[in-house]
Amino acid sequence: MSIRVRYFASLRETLGRNEESLSAEGIATVSDVWRCVSGGKPLPDHLLCAVNMEYSEAGTAVRDGDEVAFFPPVTGG
């Protein structure tokens, strides 16, 4: 089983990929997912995240089969 990770907006362009799949082994939180996909970097404070299409925090639990999404904040005027 695995965790599906999706990237949106400028983050997708920066990382050069729309999504990927990770083994759920050793992953307990959203922050752990980010560390796996970013080469060990901590989750940036400004980055938004969601688990199964609901906004979440860095410490939100992640389970096998979940979808985790990362996206930059949206601004407008």
Side-chain angles (χ1 to χ4, degrees), residues 37-60:
V37 299
S38 68
K41 296 178 183 173
L43 185 66
D45 290 337
H46 68 280
L47 200 62
L48 300 174
C49 45
V51 175
N52 298 327
M53 296 189 222
E54 292 192 22
Y55 284 110
S56 62
E57 302 291 329
T60 300

Side-chain angles (χ1 to χ4, degrees), residues 2 7 22 44 46 65 75:
S2 62
Y7 310 102
L22 298 177
H46 68 280
T75 60

Side-chain angles (χ1 to χ4, degrees), residues 5-57:
V5 186
R6 302 184 72 193
Y7 310 102
F8 293 93
S10 61
L11 185 59
R12 173 180 51 209
E13 295 166 13
T14 300
L15 295 173
R17 55 191 186 264
N18 297 335
E19 65 179 70
E20 62 188 300
S21 182
L22 298 177
S23 168
E25 186 174 326
I27 294 177
T29 66
V30 168
S31 185
D32 292 341
V33 172
W34 180 256
R35 279 193 205 99
C36 284
V37 299
S38 68
K41 296 178 183 173
L43 185 66
D45 290 337
H46 68 280
L47 200 62
L48 300 174
C49 45
V51 175
N52 298 327
M53 296 189 222
E54 292 192 22
Y55 284 110
S56 62
E57 302 291 329

